[in-house]
Amino acid sequence: MGLAPPNINVFFMKPGRGKVETKLFSVRQLQQLEFSKSILLLHSFSGCDTTSAIHGKSKVGIAKLFTAKPDLTQNISDIFSGLSTSPESIEQAGEKLLLAIYQAPVQEQNLNKYRYSAFLRASMKPKSDLATLPPTRGASKQHSLRVYLQIQQWLGNPLPPTQWGWARGDDGILKPVTTNDPVAPESILNTIFCRCTTGCGVQCGCRKAGIACSRVCGVCSGSCTNGAPIENTVDDDVDDDILYLEDN
């Protein structure tokens, strides 16, 4: 739909079931929708083969946002469609779109601050699901970079994935970068330590918290199997780093 030439009409059939009749749609018909020019951004940002879905936010719900705020979403779509858009601009545009998806106040421009406000509201409820909180700015940045990479791939502009939200693991396979931020401020991490006496296995408190053991740990002092991982370097200039990401 987003890339179909104007002189070609493609038809889609949605099979009926029970009392629901079979429906036939055409590309030209769908291109009349308000968000037709932003369909690549809508599809990739809300989750496709190479990008994550947003917890609790359906494609239908996000499509309604695109319909209700066409000026905002079209402007952001233009940024993501630009071949020479900088990572900083992508990060800012992605954060703005996420704030709109989570219905943040218009004056709010910081995703971390809004996430904290949402956490305070959730903490007042008898039951709360932390997964429904908005993502952090760090996670938003990596998601937005992968969305940009996918849109450019659809537009025929392949880019090096390791510069746009992906990293190559020890096994050579590209894996999404969730965030480059620490799991918690250093002042808090320094208060977490284990007292394992038989090795830092699956029951290790540090391992459960998602951090490596350190010198403050009572027995292992960080010299265990859960010690600090070895950092890997990635050569972005290698031709093998070019991954062709396509949404089936």
Side-chain angles (χ1 to χ4, degrees):
M1 173 181 167
L3 301 176
N7 60 330
I8 296 179
N9 200 5
V10 180
F11 293 89
F12 301 88
M13 184 181 72
K14 182 179 180 181
R17 178 181 297 180
K19 296 182 179 180
V20 179
E21 297 181 354
T22 297
K23 293 184 178 181
L24 192 65
F25 301 92
S26 70
V27 167
R28 291 181 183 176
Q29 178 185 8
L30 296 175
Q31 287 175 341
Q32 301 302 315
L33 299 175
E34 288 285 345
F35 55 79
S36 61
K37 295 182 180 179
S38 305
I39 191 66
L40 297 183
L41 174 64
L42 192 163
H43 181 41
S44 56
F45 204 91
S46 59
C48 66
D49 287 356
T50 59
T51 61
S52 304
I54 303 174
H55 181 80
K57 304 296 181 181
S58 66
K59 282 188 179 291
V60 173
I62 296 177
K64 290 180 179 179
L65 169 68
F66 275 60
T67 302
K69 298 183 177 181
D71 293 339
L72 170 68
T73 53
Q74 184 58 55
N75 177 263
I76 295 176
S77 178
D78 291 341
I79 294 174
F80 274 83
S81 298
L83 177 58
S84 58
T85 306
S86 67
E88 293 75 20
S89 297
I90 292 297
E91 178 183 0
Q92 294 171 6
E95 182 176 12
K96 183 181 295 185
L97 182 54
L98 276 171
L99 285 168
I101 291 174
Y102 281 90
Q103 300 180 338
V106 178
Q107 66 273 16
E108 182 59 77
Q109 298 181 353
N110 188 306
L111 194 57
N112 281 351
K113 290 183 178 180
Y114 184 66
R115 174 182 168 88
Y116 179 65
S117 299
F119 169 75
L120 293 179
R121 292 194 300 271
S123 65
M124 301 299 293
K125 299 179 180 179
K127 292 184 179 180
S128 59
D129 183 4
L130 296 182
T132 62
L133 294 177
T136 63
R137 296 183 92 175
S140 168
K141 173 183 178 180
Q142 299 302 325
H143 176 71
S144 299
L145 292 178
R146 285 190 292 276
V147 168
Y148 178 73
L149 175 67
Q150 179 59 76
I151 291 177
Q152 292 304 312
Q153 177 62 40
W154 282 330
L155 295 175
N157 306 316
L159 300 172
T162 51
Q163 296 179 13
W164 299 96
W166 295 84
R168 195 174 293 280
D170 295 336
D171 54 5
I173 298 177
L174 285 169
K175 300 177 182 179
V177 178
T178 54
T179 182
N180 287 324
D181 295 339
V183 295
E186 186 175 355
S187 58
I188 295 179
L189 294 179
N190 288 336
T191 65
I192 301 176
F193 57 90
C194 70
R195 299 181 183 275
C196 302
T197 58
T198 58
C200 299
V202 294
Q203 298 301 321
C204 172
C206 293
R207 191 183 294 274
K208 287 182 177 180
I211 62 175
C213 292
S214 64
R215 294 181 180 179
V216 298
C217 293
V219 178
C220 70
S221 298
S223 58
C224 63
T225 56
N226 189 39
I230 300 175
E231 294 185 0
N232 296 318
T233 57
V234 178
D235 184 2
D236 291 338
D237 295 328
V238 179
D239 292 338
D240 290 341
D241 282 345
I242 299 178
L243 174 69
Y244 292 92
L245 304 169
E246 295 186 358
D247 187 26
N248 296 326

